Amino acid sequence: MSEIRLSPRQEAILRMVVERHISSGVPVGSKNIAGQSGMDFASSTVRSELARLEQLGLLNHPHTSAGRIPTDAGYRYYVDHLRPDDRLPAPREVAGALVVGEVRKEIDAAMRRVADAMSQVTHMLGVVTAPPARSTTLRRVEVLVLQPQLVMVVAITSTGAVTKRMFAFDQPVDPQLADWASDFLNERVTGLAVGARIIASRLAEPSLGPREQAFVETIGTALTELEDEETQGALVVGGQARFLEENRTQDLVEIGSLMHALEERFVLLDLLRGALAANEVYLRIGTELPDGTLRGVSLVAANYGTVRRNLGTVSVIGPTRMDYRLAIATVREAAHALSAYVEEVYE
């Protein structure tokens, strides 16, 4: 909207319409503006300016209501030009979500806490994307005999993620063979990147006896196929129940399209790739989103990571009628807190 230039009076009226609609969820009419603090304009003047803002595509006139609501372009003008310059204090709930000693090395738990905290602060959906699988390394492997013919392989990565894979054998498994396999696997794969092609070659050892070689070939898939398993959990969503319980009857269409996107997680992952490449807050409003099915939805996101590279994104997603000032402050604090957290894990 850089080509549009509004007068100070038009900007003041647009700001009031946006902020009142965000707060109430109903169309804003001239009677809700004229005579209000800082709005010393006659009702006829306000009505004229509202009509002009509608002509410019910044407001919309729904149904037969006398009030207006912001369009996507109106929200964009507000965010770019009218949003108060003073920043909100960083939401304490977001930073506090990571002050938990038991999960200092558990990225999965940290992501869940941050997603829930962002949702709690903004009343929108909090979404966090995980670091790509190839950003993590294998820390420890355990081979456990649960029953005579049932073996479990536990793989622990550098991010604290734990995956378990069960293997059933035709014959009882010697517990000593399982203990040997634990030592062998840890010696061969500890420190290797998850999904690295070298893992398979490190498990192939010509000097092994037939029994050991056959056992390693069977349980080795727990490590060579680990990347696919980790990728399935690449998106953490917080506050779904809270979000749906909010009184948002006027946003049913937007919520429906958003819930569909959550079911098809690759849609959101694709959208958030743009945020991962950005160095500032990534904000897309309604029709600015590349996926046309997400009409009426806005995305506010920022990336987190180490000094050397971005690892993932934190974001707030919800209807275009959101408190953008609060959403931007929240994702900034979440990105800062999670970046400081992962520095300890990826150091």
Side-chain angles (χ1 to χ4, degrees), residues 258-276:
L258 189 50
M259 291 301 106
H260 177 74
L262 289 178
E263 293 176 1
E264 303 291 343
R265 291 189 165 215
F266 66 89
V267 174
L268 285 183
L269 286 170
D270 188 54
L271 290 176
L272 290 169
R273 288 194 185 99
L276 189 61

Side-chain angles (χ1 to χ4, degrees), residues 3-120:
E3 68 278 6
I4 292 180
R5 291 291 182 267
L6 300 182
S7 68
R9 182 168 65 192
Q10 290 170 335
E11 288 190 341
I13 292 174
L14 178 61
R15 177 190 286 116
M16 180 162 283
V17 172
V18 171
E19 292 179 351
R20 292 213 165 191
H21 181 64
I22 288 174
S23 174
S24 67
V26 299
V28 181
S30 59
K31 64 181 181 180
N32 303 118
I33 300 175
Q36 300 298 317
S37 177
M39 292 289 172
D40 299 325
F41 314 128
S43 294
S44 59
T45 300
V46 173
R47 285 195 296 272
S48 176
E49 295 291 21
L50 288 173
R52 177 56 181 159
L53 291 171
E54 185 173 352
Q55 290 174 356
L56 292 171
L58 301 176
L59 297 179
N60 191 21
H61 201 161
H63 312 299
T64 58
S65 167
R68 266 80 169 183
I69 63 174
T71 63
D72 293 348
Y75 282 123
R76 170 55 69 182
Y77 192 98
Y78 171 81
V79 168
D80 290 346
H81 303 289
L82 307 181
R83 184 168 50 89
D85 293 333
D86 56 310
R87 291 190 178 184
L88 288 175
R92 294 181 179 179
E93 295 90 338
V94 177
L98 298 184
V99 186
V100 182
E102 306 89 78
V103 296
R104 291 307 300 171
K105 296 295 183 181
E106 301 291 343
I107 290 294
D108 287 349
M111 288 168 51
R112 286 192 295 272
R113 290 174 183 273
V114 169
D116 286 339
M118 289 193 297
S119 175
Q120 180 182 352

Side-chain angles (χ1 to χ4, degrees), residues 268-287:
L268 285 183
L269 286 170
D270 188 54
L271 290 176
L272 290 169
R273 288 194 185 99
L276 189 61
N279 292 322
E280 297 294 334
V281 171
Y282 180 87
L283 173 60
R284 294 294 181 270
I285 300 172
T287 53

Side-chain angles (χ1 to χ4, degrees), residues 60-266:
N60 191 21
H61 201 161
H63 312 299
T64 58
S65 167
R68 266 80 169 183
I69 63 174
T71 63
D72 293 348
Y75 282 123
R76 170 55 69 182
Y77 192 98
Y78 171 81
V79 168
D80 290 346
H81 303 289
L82 307 181
R83 184 168 50 89
D85 293 333
D86 56 310
R87 291 190 178 184
L88 288 175
R92 294 181 179 179
E93 295 90 338
V94 177
L98 298 184
V99 186
V100 182
E102 306 89 78
V103 296
R104 291 307 300 171
K105 296 295 183 181
E106 301 291 343
I107 290 294
D108 287 349
M111 288 168 51
R112 286 192 295 272
R113 290 174 183 273
V114 169
D116 286 339
M118 289 193 297
S119 175
Q120 180 182 352
V121 170
T122 64
H123 302 287
M124 298 290 165
L125 291 177
V127 180
V128 182
T129 62
R134 290 184 183 276
S135 297
T136 66
T137 58
L138 286 164
R139 182 194 297 171
R140 180 73 184 169
V141 180
E142 298 288 347
V143 182
L144 307 172
V145 178
L146 301 183
Q147 297 178 12
Q149 295 173 235
L150 185 64
V151 170
M152 180 172 68
V153 177
V154 181
I156 305 172
T157 70
S158 58
T159 63
V162 178
T163 60
K164 301 174 182 178
R165 184 81 174 269
M166 309 296 290
F167 296 90
F169 291 84
D170 295 334
Q171 302 294 327
V173 175
D174 185 349
Q176 292 185 341
L177 178 62
D179 292 340
W180 167 85
S182 291
D183 293 338
F184 175 81
L185 294 176
N186 281 296
E187 178 184 344
R188 291 304 181 103
V189 303
T190 297
L192 294 181
V194 171
R197 295 179 180 178
I198 194 175
I199 290 179
S201 63
R202 293 295 296 272
L203 298 183
E205 174 53 63
S207 64
L208 294 180
R211 185 181 71 150
E212 290 79 5
Q213 190 172 37
F215 188 66
V216 169
E217 286 179 357
T218 300
I219 66 173
T221 56
L223 305 178
T224 57
E225 298 175 2
L226 183 58
E227 182 176 22
D228 291 337
E229 294 178 14
E230 288 213 341
T231 301
Q232 292 174 6
L235 193 69
V236 175
V237 181
Q240 284 178 263
R242 183 188 303 110
F243 182 73
L244 292 173
E245 288 170 2
E246 291 283 329
N247 183 21
R248 298 183 180 281
T249 55
Q250 67 275 23
D251 297 324
L252 287 178
V253 174
E254 291 85 348
I255 289 177
S257 62
L258 189 50
M259 291 301 106
H260 177 74
L262 289 178
E263 293 176 1
E264 303 291 343
R265 291 189 165 215
F266 66 89

Side-chain angles (χ1 to χ4, degrees), residues 313-329:
T313 61
V314 295
S315 60
V316 168
I317 305 176
T320 53
R321 187 183 63 82
M322 70 164 62
D323 186 336
Y324 290 95
R325 187 179 177 219
L326 178 60
I328 290 171

